[in-house]
Amino acid sequence: MVFALAAYRREEPAMPPPSSPAVRCQRIVKYYGTGDTRVVALRGIDLDVYKGELLMLVGPSGCGKTSLISVIAALLESDEGDCHLLGENIQRMELEARTVFRGRHVGFVFQAFNLLPTLSALDNVAVPLLIHGLPRSLAETKAGALLERVGLAGHAHLLPSQLSGGQQQRVAIARALVHEPDLVICDEPTSSLDHATGHSIMQLLRELARTQGRALIVVTHDPRILEFADRIAHMDDGRIVDVTRVPGTSHEI
Amino acid sequence: MFRIAIKMLWGDRAKFAGLIFGIAFTSFLVTFAMSYFCGFMTWGFALIAENPSADVWVMDPAVPSTELTTNLPDSALYRVRSVQGVHYAVPMALGTAEVRFPNGSFQSFQVIGVDDASLAGIPPIQAGASPSLLRAPDAVLVAEGGTSDKLNTPARVQDQWPYGASHLDVPTRMLQAGDELQINDRRAVVMGIAQALPRYPARPLLYTTIANASRFLPPERHRLTFVLASAAPGISARELATRIQASTGLRARAASDFKTDTVLWFLVNSEDVGDIAAMLLLAMTVGFGVTGVMLYIFTSENLRHYALLGAMGATPRLLIRMLFVQAGMCAMLGSGLGLGACSLASYAVGYIDYPFRLMWFTPLFGMLMVVLVSLGAAALSVRPVLKLSPAVVFAGR
Ligand SMILES: Nc1ncnc2c1ncn2[C@@H]1O[C@H](COP(=O)(O)OP(=O)(O)O)[C@@H](O)[C@H]1O
Ligand SMILES: [Mg+2]
């Protein structure tokens, strides 16, 4: 514990923040359960994620990575602390407004792809737009364009079960980006894929997702993809123990 | 998003087919059983239906239905006839007789004695015989009344009377005009087969004049069971009934009310009807229970997907609407198929003598039940969908 605290270090103060933060977490604490069975998943997290950067969240299994991104996306309420998303304290919003806000501004990529199994690739990609009430034709045009950008133009009408893992994850990426969110959250996007496919998925994410004004959080414990990060936040036991800047990457600002 | 909701439903063909089949089957079962039940009930008041010109039925104040009757003094007929607004009134006598066939076998018949003068209440006669033949002494018409093989008489002459001994196990044929029967040691001559409505409970029927009936039936002080009154123009059946009741002290019911009385009487007093109703209830409970559970299971299995939609910005309100669209779709398709099958079945059973009556309210009721159950299942599914934390989208694979 003492070691962990000692190892904690903020970014070099000399380096100015690359841009305004998309995500600002302050003293986030999250418990699961109560009484004897209470688990402290997050023990006071301070973290900023800036627009235009790709932040990787790494750490051993069970250290709280998923809990943290759930809190950031307002899928989960923290027990203490505040989390601002694009300047809004979305945990304080009404459920409905929060849901709509998340839908508009956040995109997700999951380890298990989480595509709707009975919908075609095109429909899957169109879902976030349809949720926001876009007319079907427009939604499908946009979804088709994104499928093309992830290299699956010819697969639009296939069901997820007819696609390979890598292809499914490409569809998922298209879905995460189709509504042009300000924050994209990826939970272990490469863990279900072999190395080469994972690499190409990360490349795709970096090329397509990481644009000016958009923040990317990628949770991983796959050391092979760390090279894609701008910054790496190391977590252990519910704390961020280290934030490192990856040399050689620069921000497109 | 409703298209997406329907695709979610439709996408899993096997489950969807099961769901639709379940609902279709249940709505078929319910509609069919109810039509069957209604069919029985219409057979129950067949006597009233057979006398469409009788606007009002007059009876002893204690008589609750056509099934449980006691007789009136003969004077009742004249008292009814003297009520203002009665166009005409005819007597009807009901009784039960053991009828012996020429080979010595016997069968219990309901005897329906009609007005000697007008012969009102005689159903159409098969094979052209004139009803006026009934005025001959000992003349009767017979009808199966929903039974089968109960109007069988020995086919061969040597098996017919005079019988020294009974010839019970002999070849038989259906009664026909000219056959003879014995009722209370009196000879009765069959003039023809009446096309009577089938009865519930089924029973062979014997139509004759009241004069003949009083000879066949065991002697009683009173022979008159009902007075059938028809209303003068411009007066409603109910109004006439009220008038007759007020001025004679007898029970007078408009035909439609008397039908209702009879149906209610069956519902309360007939064990068979109770059994049918219980079966119906059981079928409905099981069918709708299964349907509801299937719909609920469908939603439960899709919980993860709803959570995902929630994470992607679908509000609880939208998710609920999707749930109801799915349930509504199942309900519509399923009950549509079920009711379609039922109306086909009603054509099919139209060809056989089967108590089946698809009343206007039956499919409505079947539909309503399906919709209620589907909505109920959807409503039940709402809770888990809403309670589910969208954070489960990150859980495992
Ligand atoms: N729903 C939950 N209920 C109880 N404990 C949980 C729940 N989710 C996570 N935890 C616990 O919280 C800690 C952090 O979990 P998680 O955020 O999933 O870590 P990671 O994603 O880094 O593996 C773990 O000890 C885990 O067992
Ligand atoms: Mg995790």
Side-chain angles (χ1 to χ4, degrees):
Chain A
M1 199 64 51
V2 175
F3 167 77
L5 278 172
Y8 182 83
R9 103 185 131 82
R10 284 201 163 269
E11 296 166 51
E12 280 99 287
M15 191 166 294
S19 66
S20 60
V23 177
R24 166 153 282 174
C25 293
Q26 290 163 312
R27 296 175 305 283
I28 298 289
V29 175
K30 176 68 196 169
Y31 316 115
Y32 290 109
T34 51
D36 289 347
T37 58
R38 191 167 92 165
V39 177
V40 185
L42 301 176
R43 299 172 185 270
I45 300 276
D46 291 296
L47 179 70
D48 287 349
V49 187
Y50 297 99
K51 294 178 179 168
E53 76 166 336
L54 194 165
L55 177 95
M56 281 208 189
L57 205 52
V58 299
S61 187
C63 71
K65 305 183 296 291
T66 300
S67 302
L68 179 57
I69 54 171
S70 301
V71 169
I72 289 174
L75 293 171
L76 203 61
E77 284 184 39
S78 65
D79 294 293
E80 289 172 31
D82 281 320
C83 187
H84 291 260
L85 183 55
L86 306 169
E88 303 271 351
N89 188 342
I90 63 172
Q91 291 205 24
R92 298 273 157 80
M93 289 183 182
E94 295 285 323
L95 174 65
E96 179 133 358
R98 187 199 310 164
T99 307
V100 170
F101 187 87
R102 178 176 57 233
R104 289 204 188 285
H105 298 291
V106 186
F108 293 97
V109 178
F110 305 95
Q111 174 180 357
F113 318 137
N114 275 4
L115 299 174
L116 292 172
T118 58
L119 301 188
S120 69
L122 187 72
D123 278 334
N124 262 294
V125 176
V127 162
L129 298 174
L130 296 171
I131 287 177
H132 301 148
L134 242 70
R136 181 180 159 193
S137 56
L138 190 58
E140 287 185 352
T141 312
K142 287 197 171 197
L146 257 133
L147 273 180
E148 198 175 327
R149 291 185 66 192
V150 300
L152 289 176
H155 297 66
H157 295 288
L158 296 185
L159 292 177
S161 56
Q162 296 165 310
L163 299 172
S164 71
Q167 287 171 330
Q168 289 188 54
Q169 198 62 303
R170 282 164 187 268
V171 174
I173 288 172
R175 180 178 68 183
L177 300 179
V178 73
H179 54 303
E180 294 165 17
D182 300 295
L183 172 68
V184 175
I185 292 179
C186 312
D187 192 26
E188 317 227 359
T190 60
S191 299
S192 297
L193 305 172
D194 63 70
H195 177 59
T197 315
H199 208 270
S200 71
I201 286 294
M202 281 313 297
Q203 234 151 9
L204 190 70
L205 266 176
R206 225 189 128 80
E207 282 163 21
L208 281 187
R210 193 167 144 282
T211 63
Q212 183 176 358
R214 178 181 295 152
L216 237 83
I217 303 178
V218 177
V219 170
T220 187
H221 55 234
D222 181 357
R224 295 170 302 195
I225 64 168
L226 292 180
E227 55 176 293
F228 291 99
D230 297 318
R231 280 194 310 153
I232 302 171
H234 298 269
M235 278 188 79
D236 197 9
D237 196 22
R239 289 192 173 83
I240 293 185
V241 293
D242 193 12
V243 180
T244 52
R245 185 164 294 283
V246 176
T249 64
S250 62
H251 294 283
E252 303 160 338
I253 295 166
Chain B
M1 279 315 278
F2 297 148
R3 197 178 54 93
I4 298 290
I6 290 184
K7 279 196 173 178
M8 282 172 75
L9 190 67
W10 170 244
D12 192 342
R13 296 295 153 87
K15 226 176 281 163
F16 183 68
L19 210 53
I20 294 299
F21 180 78
I23 294 176
F25 186 73
T26 307
S27 63
F28 172 79
L29 207 68
V30 167
T31 318
F32 192 90
M34 277 192 22
S35 302
Y36 187 58
F37 189 78
C38 292
F40 266 127
M41 289 298 100
T42 36
W43 286 18
F45 55 69
L47 183 67
I48 308 173
E50 240 169 40
N51 288 279
S53 60
D55 297 319
V56 176
W57 289 64
V58 186
M59 64 209 89
D60 183 276
V63 169
S65 77
T66 55
E67 281 307 289
L68 190 64
T69 56
T70 188
N71 290 344
L72 296 164
D74 292 344
S75 63
L77 177 61
Y78 306 108
R79 278 191 282 153
V80 171
R81 280 181 176 160
S82 69
V83 174
Q84 248 206 346
V86 172
H87 185 45
Y88 60 85
V90 293
M92 174 173 277
L94 295 184
T96 306
E98 239 121 66
V99 174
R100 232 176 232 287
F101 290 87
N103 59 338
S105 69
F106 69 89
Q107 179 67 54
S108 180
F109 276 63
Q110 181 173 42
V111 176
I112 300 168
V114 302
D115 181 33
D116 289 64
S118 65
L119 295 177
I122 294 292
I125 304 175
Q126 248 166 30
S130 151
S132 60
L133 290 174
L134 267 190
R135 296 213 181 84
D138 310 334
V140 298
L141 291 172
V142 292
E144 289 195 297
T147 63
S148 50
D149 300 332
K150 293 208 167 164
L151 301 187
N152 286 347
T153 194
R156 297 175 309 198
V157 180
Q158 67 261 38
D159 293 324
Q160 298 187 359
W161 54 52
Y163 41 81
S166 305
H167 298 242
L168 296 179
D169 292 323
V170 296
T172 56
R173 61 164 169 80
M174 173 81 175
L175 279 175
Q176 61 194 38
D179 284 337
E180 292 190 2
L181 299 167
Q182 204 178 49
I183 311 171
N184 273 332
D185 282 348
R186 286 191 146 273
R187 191 182 76 123
V189 182
V190 175
M191 290 296 168
I193 310 295
Q195 286 174 328
L197 296 176
R199 296 305 204 262
Y200 172 78
R203 74 204 77 170
L205 302 170
L206 195 145
Y207 290 87
T208 186
T209 58
I210 289 185
N212 282 338
S214 4
R215 281 195 293 274
F216 293 137
L217 292 169
E220 271 185 280
R221 249 177 74 73
H222 303 314
R223 196 57 280 164
L224 181 63
T225 312
F226 291 113
V227 176
L228 279 52
S230 85
I235 180 167
S236 78
R238 284 224 171 112
E239 203 180 327
L240 185 63
T242 318
R243 274 196 212 173
I244 295 175
Q245 195 152 324
S247 69
T248 62
L250 299 171
R251 185 169 134 88
R253 299 290 282 162
S256 58
D257 292 338
F258 196 36
K259 283 179 184 172
T260 313
D261 291 348
T262 300
V263 168
L264 290 179
W265 183 86
F266 272 116
L267 289 177
V268 174
N269 291 285
S270 159
E271 280 176 25
D272 295 349
V273 168
D275 288 352
I276 297 175
M279 295 267 285
L280 188 67
L281 213 66
L282 199 71
M284 266 166 52
T285 316
V286 171
F288 286 130
V290 168
T291 308
V293 166
M294 276 171 72
L295 255 175
Y296 183 75
I297 288 177
F298 175 81
T299 328
S300 308
E301 286 177 347
N302 273 311
L303 271 185
R304 256 181 80 84
H305 301 142
Y306 293 115
L308 175 70
L309 293 174
M312 292 195 298
T315 58
R317 217 182 314 171
L318 178 58
L319 291 181
I320 291 171
R321 290 214 300 261
M322 289 176 69
L323 275 182
F324 278 92
V325 163
Q326 290 173 339
M329 166 97 175
C330 288
M332 300 291 259
L333 264 181
S335 57
L337 281 177
L339 297 183
C342 204
S343 56
L344 284 185
S346 84
Y347 279 114
V349 298
Y351 292 106
I352 54 176
D353 235 352
Y354 190 80
F356 188 93
R357 177 129 172 213
L358 199 59
M359 313 261 282
W360 63 268
F361 59 82
T362 324
L364 274 187
F365 181 80
M367 194 90 134
L368 189 75
M369 285 301 289
V370 168
V371 168
L372 278 184
V373 168
S374 307
L375 290 187
L380 276 183
S381 325
V382 163
R383 221 175 95 85
V385 168
L386 291 191
K387 281 199 67 174
L388 188 75
S389 158
V392 303
V393 291
F394 289 124
R397 56 207 81 180

